[in-house]
Amino acid sequence: MKRVFSGVAPSGNLHIGNYLGAISQWLELQKHHNCVFSVADYHAMTIFQPAEKLREKILEIAMIYLAAGIDPKKSVIFIQSDVLEHAELTWILNTITKIPELELMTQFKDKARRFRNKVNVGLFDYPVLMAADILLYKADFVPVGEDQKQHLEFTRTIARRFNGLYGETFIVPEALIMKESAKIMGLDDPNKKMSKSAENPHNYLGLTDEPALIKEKIKRAVTDSGDGIIYDKEKKPGIFNLLTIYSLLSGKSIQKLEKEYKNKNYGEFKKDLADVVIGFLSPFQKKFEKLGKNKNHVRRILADGSKKARLIAQKNIKEIKNKVGLNY
Ligand code: ATP
Ligand code: LTN
């Protein structure tokens, strides 16, 4: 079976974009692949958050994976910092990474602009840590949203470079990016992606948002001038985005929705969309709440996941260290 690796950093609030772009793919993949899913807590530290907050978020993301349907009997779920080899491989890969390669990264440039006085070396090195995550498990596939494409390209470059310098070691992994859901846009600005680090909470539909808040956010979502529920990215980016979400969550095709809302206005459309989102989130939120009442159960799953992840990581890091000459 081919191996799949992916992760989410425990910072901010997970939103419907994260679910549709990444996690929904994981659910399918775990049926026929050897899947490893990480809570990327070292990644979350690249923008400062207080220790208490980070601790809380780590467990929350694990609970979100489980509530969404990631099955610990089929997939390995673990916390990145529980497996020391991630940091170890990051160091080794740092030595074959060129500074201008990292300076090119869109996410770095974007975050460096937004968090101007908080830019640290970790934020700059983020893509190397991500490459280490993936390569450490010799993953074949990495299911992510569109925004991670560049980091995956970088990972592929580093894998090839290492193999060229030290001999065939790493699999050159492939990004799995879905067409329709790869980039869900912000509700407050359909030209920017929905983002969990957005300053405006009305940018995203949080997976744990209560029904009243979902209704309010969708009601306030930026739409386009004129009326008509039409799927046109250029002319109607707001409605385009809302139609995408509606279609993916309800399973109804875009054409069917366009027909259904032909003579209806934005208000009616938004009201129905809110019901679809709330209906979709309801079973997830129930499971999430239940897990919240038994955090020790979640901790046990994570301890077991870390054990399994460590077995793979330790075997591979041994080979890697041998290849570069870190044995004597
Ligand atoms: P941040 O704003 O902190 O960078 P984010 O909202 O972009 O966070 P990530 O933790 O970077 O979220 O992403 C987790 C996963 O969700 C990644 O695979 C990413 O590509 C995917 N993803 C993030 N935002 C979207 C989006 N708007 N649409 C589709 N997929 C997304
Ligand atoms: N940077 C990713 C989270 C992440 C990841 C990974 C995704 C950390 N390590 C390895 C795929 C593979 C993000 O989505 N912010």
Side-chain angles (χ1 to χ4, degrees):
M1 266 205 287
K2 297 262 189 190
R3 183 166 288 147
V4 168
F5 187 96
S6 197
V8 175
S11 56
N13 294 320
L14 243 69
H15 50 72
I16 210 94
N18 299 128
Y19 179 84
L20 293 172
I23 298 173
S24 70
Q25 291 200 73
W26 305 359
L27 295 176
E28 278 309 303
L29 287 161
Q30 73 173 349
K31 293 180 188 161
H32 306 290
H33 294 76
N34 188 341
C35 290
V36 182
F37 300 120
S38 158
V39 176
D41 54 351
Y42 279 150
H43 277 94
M45 293 180 75
T46 56
I47 301 288
F48 175 79
Q49 48 180 336
E52 237 359 274
K53 188 90 203 148
L54 179 59
R55 219 184 321 274
E56 203 179 284
K57 280 282 156 189
I58 291 171
L59 220 51
E60 184 186 300
I61 298 288
M63 280 156 49
I64 286 179
Y65 288 0
L66 294 167
I70 302 299
D71 179 354
K73 290 197 194 82
K74 293 184 186 144
S75 304
V76 174
I77 304 176
F78 79 103
I79 308 295
Q80 182 183 35
S81 67
D82 272 348
V83 181
L84 307 179
E85 288 76 12
H86 287 256
E88 214 175 345
L89 182 56
T90 300
W91 183 258
I92 294 173
L93 299 182
N94 271 337
T95 66
I96 62 164
T97 299
K98 298 165 194 167
I99 289 171
E101 285 177 312
L102 296 181
E103 282 171 337
L104 270 180
M105 294 291 152
T106 309
Q107 182 177 298
F108 172 71
K109 289 194 282 191
D110 174 47
K111 288 200 176 168
R113 213 179 305 121
R114 279 160 57 206
F115 302 98
R116 214 170 299 158
N117 51 2
K118 293 185 186 152
V119 180
N120 57 63
V121 176
L123 185 66
F124 188 61
D125 206 31
Y126 184 117
V128 184
L129 177 59
M130 186 162 154
D133 290 345
I134 299 164
L135 300 180
L136 185 57
Y137 295 87
K138 300 197 178 185
D140 301 275
F141 301 118
V142 184
V144 283
E146 174 80 29
D147 61 318
Q148 297 299 319
K149 200 171 168 182
Q150 197 182 25
H151 291 159
L152 255 295
E153 275 310 314
F154 169 75
T155 303
R156 290 163 61 84
T157 303
I158 288 299
R160 287 199 202 95
R161 186 173 303 153
F162 186 99
N163 289 349
L165 287 167
Y166 297 112
E168 272 315 300
T169 309
F170 293 126
I171 289 178
V172 179
E174 216 180 288
L176 298 181
I177 299 173
M178 292 202 296
K179 216 165 127 232
E180 289 81 14
S181 62
K183 198 171 183 186
I184 301 295
M185 308 311 272
L187 298 186
D188 58 339
D189 179 356
N191 298 306
K192 275 198 315 217
K193 73 161 191 156
M194 190 176 278
S195 163
K196 63 182 153 71
S197 62
E199 266 162 46
N200 178 2
H202 281 80
N203 161 277
Y204 60 81
L205 292 171
L207 293 178
T208 53
D209 283 353
E210 287 179 7
L213 187 56
I214 298 275
K215 274 190 193 150
E216 191 198 321
K217 285 184 178 181
I218 293 181
K219 197 168 162 193
R220 284 221 226 154
V222 169
T223 37
D224 318 287
S225 55
D227 46 22
I229 312 299
I230 298 160
Y231 193 62
D232 185 329
K233 195 172 185 178
E234 299 305 317
K235 293 200 188 111
K236 287 184 167 282
I239 290 293
F240 177 91
N241 190 43
L242 297 181
L243 266 172
T244 304
I245 297 173
Y246 197 142
S247 164
L248 291 167
L249 293 184
S250 67
K252 287 184 189 171
S253 72
I254 298 281
Q255 291 91 317
K256 187 157 184 230
L257 289 174
E258 274 183 323
K259 235 189 234 165
E260 206 173 312
Y261 287 96
K262 199 158 180 226
N263 298 313
K264 299 199 175 155
N265 60 31
Y266 287 168
E268 291 166 288
F269 172 71
K270 282 180 162 182
K271 194 180 159 296
D272 291 352
L273 172 60
D275 289 340
V276 166
V277 175
I278 292 165
F280 171 80
L281 288 179
S282 163
F284 161 83
Q285 291 183 349
K286 279 201 190 99
K287 279 191 222 150
F288 181 81
E289 242 170 68
K290 203 169 157 205
L291 288 163
K293 290 190 186 124
N294 195 354
K295 291 204 171 124
N296 279 338
H297 168 66
V298 180
R299 288 193 184 94
R300 277 195 296 276
I301 291 174
L302 292 172
D304 182 54
S306 296
K307 233 189 255 169
K308 290 180 187 155
R310 245 180 250 130
L311 279 181
I312 310 170
Q314 284 169 351
K315 175 171 170 278
N316 289 340
I317 200 80
K318 198 163 174 212
E319 180 196 352
I320 296 159
K321 287 173 83 171
N322 271 335
K323 287 266 170 71
V324 300
L326 287 170
N327 56 343
Y328 53 89

Tab-separated table of all heavy atoms in Angstrom, residues 177-210:
chain	number	residue	atom	x	y	z
A	177	ILE	N	-4.086	17.502	-4.828
A	177	ILE	CA	-4.858	18.732	-4.651
A	177	ILE	C	-6.157	18.599	-5.435
A	177	ILE	O	-6.131	18.307	-6.633
A	177	ILE	CB	-4.036	19.959	-5.140
A	177	ILE	CG1	-2.755	20.073	-4.305
A	177	ILE	CG2	-4.862	21.245	-5.055
A	177	ILE	CD1	-1.780	21.119	-4.764
A	178	MET	N	-7.277	18.770	-4.761
A	178	MET	CA	-8.556	18.573	-5.442
A	178	MET	C	-8.927	19.828	-6.226
A	178	MET	O	-8.537	20.929	-5.855
A	178	MET	CB	-9.633	18.240	-4.430
A	178	MET	CG	-9.370	16.872	-3.821
A	178	MET	SD	-10.819	16.124	-3.139
A	178	MET	CE	-11.208	17.234	-1.861
A	179	LYS	N	-9.701	19.597	-7.272
A	179	LYS	CA	-9.979	20.711	-8.169
A	179	LYS	C	-10.907	21.759	-7.537
A	179	LYS	O	-10.536	22.911	-7.377
A	179	LYS	CB	-10.580	20.171	-9.462
A	179	LYS	CG	-10.128	20.954	-10.679
A	179	LYS	CD	-10.426	20.223	-11.968
A	179	LYS	CE	-11.197	21.133	-12.892
A	179	LYS	NZ	-12.427	20.524	-13.402
A	180	GLU	N	-12.087	21.321	-7.142
A	180	GLU	CA	-13.095	22.301	-6.704
A	180	GLU	C	-12.820	22.882	-5.326
A	180	GLU	O	-13.135	24.040	-5.067
A	180	GLU	CB	-14.502	21.680	-6.698
A	180	GLU	CG	-15.084	21.414	-8.069
A	180	GLU	CD	-14.560	20.119	-8.660
A	180	GLU	OE1	-13.972	19.319	-7.897
A	180	GLU	OE2	-14.707	19.916	-9.884
A	181	SER	N	-12.251	22.051	-4.446
A	181	SER	CA	-12.164	22.489	-3.051
A	181	SER	C	-10.776	22.954	-2.641
A	181	SER	O	-10.531	23.208	-1.469
A	181	SER	CB	-12.581	21.329	-2.146
A	181	SER	OG	-11.691	20.254	-2.335
A	182	ALA	N	-9.868	23.079	-3.608
A	182	ALA	CA	-8.468	23.372	-3.275
A	182	ALA	C	-8.287	24.743	-2.656
A	182	ALA	O	-7.347	24.984	-1.908
A	182	ALA	CB	-7.607	23.261	-4.524
A	183	LYS	N	-9.197	25.664	-2.997
A	183	LYS	CA	-9.031	27.012	-2.473
A	183	LYS	C	-10.387	27.647	-2.198
A	183	LYS	O	-10.993	28.253	-3.084
A	183	LYS	CB	-8.214	27.863	-3.466
A	183	LYS	CG	-7.638	29.093	-2.816
A	183	LYS	CD	-6.667	29.803	-3.742
A	183	LYS	CE	-6.035	30.990	-3.051
A	183	LYS	NZ	-5.200	31.779	-3.959
A	184	ILE	N	-10.857	27.452	-0.973
A	184	ILE	CA	-12.104	28.082	-0.546
A	184	ILE	C	-11.727	29.503	-0.128
A	184	ILE	O	-10.735	29.711	0.571
A	184	ILE	CB	-12.718	27.288	0.636
A	184	ILE	CG1	-12.990	25.818	0.230
A	184	ILE	CG2	-13.973	27.973	1.161
A	184	ILE	CD1	-14.022	25.606	-0.845
A	185	MET	N	-12.526	30.465	-0.562
A	185	MET	CA	-12.151	31.855	-0.320
A	185	MET	C	-12.813	32.415	0.949
A	185	MET	O	-13.774	31.843	1.467
A	185	MET	CB	-12.531	32.713	-1.534
A	185	MET	CG	-11.995	32.170	-2.852
A	185	MET	SD	-10.235	31.754	-2.817
A	185	MET	CE	-9.528	33.323	-3.254
A	186	GLY	N	-12.281	33.538	1.411
A	186	GLY	CA	-12.797	34.157	2.632
A	186	GLY	C	-14.194	34.722	2.434
A	186	GLY	O	-14.517	35.222	1.350
A	187	LEU	N	-15.037	34.656	3.463
A	187	LEU	CA	-16.400	35.190	3.335
A	187	LEU	C	-16.368	36.714	3.310
A	187	LEU	O	-17.258	37.350	2.729
A	187	LEU	CB	-17.269	34.744	4.512
A	187	LEU	CG	-17.512	33.252	4.690
A	187	LEU	CD1	-18.509	33.020	5.805
A	187	LEU	CD2	-18.025	32.610	3.406
A	188	ASP	N	-15.362	37.295	3.933
A	188	ASP	CA	-15.284	38.756	3.990
A	188	ASP	C	-14.605	39.339	2.752
A	188	ASP	O	-14.712	40.530	2.482
A	188	ASP	CB	-14.526	39.209	5.249
A	188	ASP	CG	-13.112	38.633	5.306
A	188	ASP	OD1	-12.846	37.609	4.635
A	188	ASP	OD2	-12.269	39.209	6.020
A	189	ASP	N	-13.889	38.498	2.018
A	189	ASP	CA	-13.197	38.958	0.814
A	189	ASP	C	-12.959	37.754	-0.101
A	189	ASP	O	-12.016	36.984	0.114
A	189	ASP	CB	-11.859	39.613	1.202
A	189	ASP	CG	-11.086	40.092	-0.015
A	189	ASP	OD1	-11.540	39.847	-1.161
A	189	ASP	OD2	-10.026	40.714	0.179
A	190	PRO	N	-13.806	37.590	-1.113
A	190	PRO	CA	-13.701	36.390	-1.959
A	190	PRO	C	-12.454	36.375	-2.849
A	190	PRO	O	-12.263	35.436	-3.612
A	190	PRO	CB	-14.978	36.435	-2.800
A	190	PRO	CG	-15.459	37.829	-2.739
A	190	PRO	CD	-14.956	38.436	-1.464
A	191	ASN	N	-11.596	37.378	-2.688
A	191	ASN	CA	-10.342	37.349	-3.452
A	191	ASN	C	-9.170	36.830	-2.619
A	191	ASN	O	-8.060	36.694	-3.118
A	191	ASN	CB	-10.017	38.740	-4.004
A	191	ASN	CG	-11.099	39.191	-4.959
A	191	ASN	OD1	-11.431	38.482	-5.908
A	191	ASN	ND2	-11.702	40.337	-4.680
A	192	LYS	N	-9.450	36.584	-1.333
A	192	LYS	CA	-8.399	36.056	-0.448
A	192	LYS	C	-8.855	34.703	0.084
A	192	LYS	O	-10.041	34.486	0.314
A	192	LYS	CB	-8.210	36.991	0.758
A	192	LYS	CG	-7.273	38.144	0.485
A	192	LYS	CD	-6.765	38.776	1.783
A	192	LYS	CE	-7.820	38.995	2.817
A	192	LYS	NZ	-7.737	40.171	3.634
A	193	LYS	N	-7.903	33.790	0.328
A	193	LYS	CA	-8.340	32.454	0.782
A	193	LYS	C	-8.889	32.501	2.208
A	193	LYS	O	-8.501	33.364	3.009
A	193	LYS	CB	-7.200	31.437	0.673
A	193	LYS	CG	-6.115	31.592	1.707
A	193	LYS	CD	-5.289	30.306	1.847
A	193	LYS	CE	-4.419	30.442	3.089
A	193	LYS	NZ	-3.982	29.224	3.692
A	194	MET	N	-9.795	31.579	2.478
A	194	MET	CA	-10.279	31.416	3.846
A	194	MET	C	-9.078	30.973	4.670
A	194	MET	O	-8.370	30.052	4.272
A	194	MET	CB	-11.390	30.364	3.862
A	194	MET	CG	-12.117	30.282	5.178
A	194	MET	SD	-13.503	29.113	5.132
A	194	MET	CE	-14.800	30.071	4.384
A	195	SER	N	-8.849	31.646	5.788
A	195	SER	CA	-7.603	31.380	6.516
A	195	SER	C	-7.834	31.388	8.017
A	195	SER	O	-8.534	32.247	8.543
A	195	SER	CB	-6.602	32.471	6.123
A	195	SER	OG	-5.552	32.524	7.041
A	196	LYS	N	-7.220	30.405	8.707
A	196	LYS	CA	-7.457	30.341	10.144
A	196	LYS	C	-6.667	31.386	10.906
A	196	LYS	O	-6.892	31.587	12.088
A	196	LYS	CB	-7.239	28.930	10.677
A	196	LYS	CG	-5.873	28.329	10.574
A	196	LYS	CD	-5.949	26.913	11.142
A	196	LYS	CE	-4.924	25.968	10.584
A	196	LYS	NZ	-3.563	26.207	11.007
A	197	SER	N	-5.727	32.034	10.224
A	197	SER	CA	-5.021	33.118	10.911
A	197	SER	C	-5.577	34.491	10.499
A	197	SER	O	-4.970	35.512	10.756
A	197	SER	CB	-3.526	33.033	10.634
A	197	SER	OG	-3.280	33.185	9.258
A	198	ALA	N	-6.756	34.490	9.864
A	198	ALA	CA	-7.368	35.766	9.456
A	198	ALA	C	-7.705	36.598	10.705
A	198	ALA	O	-8.104	36.049	11.729
A	198	ALA	CB	-8.634	35.489	8.665
A	199	GLU	N	-7.504	37.901	10.592
A	199	GLU	CA	-7.816	38.760	11.734
A	199	GLU	C	-9.322	38.842	11.971
A	199	GLU	O	-9.793	38.884	13.098
A	199	GLU	CB	-7.287	40.167	11.467
A	199	GLU	CG	-5.888	40.385	12.041
A	199	GLU	CD	-5.223	41.568	11.413
A	199	GLU	OE1	-5.879	42.618	11.293
A	199	GLU	OE2	-4.043	41.423	11.029
A	200	ASN	N	-10.065	38.865	10.880
A	200	ASN	CA	-11.508	39.009	10.976
A	200	ASN	C	-12.179	37.633	11.092
A	200	ASN	O	-12.125	36.837	10.154
A	200	ASN	CB	-11.985	39.737	9.697
A	200	ASN	CG	-13.476	39.915	9.659
A	200	ASN	OD1	-14.184	39.532	10.599
A	200	ASN	ND2	-13.965	40.489	8.570
A	201	PRO	N	-12.812	37.329	12.227
A	201	PRO	CA	-13.437	35.997	12.364
A	201	PRO	C	-14.569	35.768	11.361
A	201	PRO	O	-15.001	34.633	11.160
A	201	PRO	CB	-13.953	35.984	13.807
A	201	PRO	CG	-13.938	37.387	14.277
A	201	PRO	CD	-12.957	38.150	13.439
A	202	HIS	N	-15.035	36.841	10.739
A	202	HIS	CA	-16.062	36.670	9.713
A	202	HIS	C	-15.474	36.224	8.378
A	202	HIS	O	-16.172	36.084	7.390
A	202	HIS	CB	-16.873	37.958	9.535
A	202	HIS	CG	-17.902	38.103	10.621
A	202	HIS	ND1	-17.588	38.565	11.870
A	202	HIS	CD2	-19.219	37.795	10.649
A	202	HIS	CE1	-18.679	38.552	12.628
A	202	HIS	NE2	-19.678	38.093	11.913
A	203	ASN	N	-14.150	36.002	8.372
A	203	ASN	CA	-13.493	35.491	7.169
A	203	ASN	C	-13.832	34.012	6.953
A	203	ASN	O	-13.937	33.536	5.835
A	203	ASN	CB	-11.969	35.653	7.319
A	203	ASN	CG	-11.172	34.764	6.374
A	203	ASN	OD1	-10.929	33.589	6.647
A	203	ASN	ND2	-10.797	35.320	5.239
A	204	TYR	N	-13.993	33.275	8.060
A	204	TYR	CA	-14.106	31.814	7.920
A	204	TYR	C	-15.341	31.235	8.621
A	204	TYR	O	-15.897	31.838	9.535
A	204	TYR	CB	-12.843	31.142	8.483
A	204	TYR	CG	-12.580	31.430	9.948
A	204	TYR	CD1	-13.251	30.720	10.936
A	204	TYR	CD2	-11.676	32.415	10.336
A	204	TYR	CE1	-13.027	30.982	12.268
A	204	TYR	CE2	-11.441	32.694	11.680
A	204	TYR	CZ	-12.128	31.974	12.640
A	204	TYR	OH	-11.917	32.246	13.971
A	205	LEU	N	-15.733	30.043	8.173
A	205	LEU	CA	-16.769	29.266	8.847
A	205	LEU	C	-16.044	28.210	9.668
A	205	LEU	O	-15.509	27.238	9.111
A	205	LEU	CB	-17.679	28.588	7.812
A	205	LEU	CG	-18.561	29.521	6.980
A	205	LEU	CD1	-19.251	28.745	5.855
A	205	LEU	CD2	-19.599	30.216	7.858
A	206	GLY	N	-15.972	28.431	10.971
A	206	GLY	CA	-15.230	27.512	11.841
A	206	GLY	C	-15.967	26.189	12.003
A	206	GLY	O	-17.191	26.160	12.066
A	207	LEU	N	-15.200	25.105	12.087
A	207	LEU	CA	-15.822	23.783	12.248
A	207	LEU	C	-16.556	23.667	13.581
A	207	LEU	O	-17.469	22.867	13.720
A	207	LEU	CB	-14.763	22.679	12.140
A	207	LEU	CG	-14.104	22.514	10.767
A	207	LEU	CD1	-13.039	21.420	10.806
A	207	LEU	CD2	-15.137	22.186	9.690
A	208	THR	N	-16.128	24.496	14.553
A	208	THR	CA	-16.793	24.409	15.858
A	208	THR	C	-17.697	25.629	16.113
A	208	THR	O	-18.176	25.815	17.224
A	208	THR	CB	-15.748	24.275	16.995
A	208	THR	OG1	-14.811	25.342	16.866
A	208	THR	CG2	-14.997	22.960	16.911
A	209	ASP	N	-17.942	26.426	15.092
A	209	ASP	CA	-18.850	27.579	15.258
A	209	ASP	C	-20.277	27.110	15.544
A	209	ASP	O	-20.755	26.144	14.940
A	209	ASP	CB	-18.895	28.428	13.969
A	209	ASP	CG	-17.661	29.302	13.806
A	209	ASP	OD1	-16.831	29.357	14.743
A	209	ASP	OD2	-17.524	29.926	12.732
A	210	GLU	N	-20.948	27.844	16.426
A	210	GLU	CA	-22.341	27.485	16.739
A	210	GLU	C	-23.281	27.923	15.616
A	210	GLU	O	-22.958	28.856	14.871
A	210	GLU	CB	-22.748	28.179	18.036
A	210	GLU	CG	-22.084	27.516	19.211
A	210	GLU	CD	-22.430	28.169	20.523
A	210	GLU	OE1	-23.293	29.067	20.532
A	210	GLU	OE2	-21.829	27.756	21.525
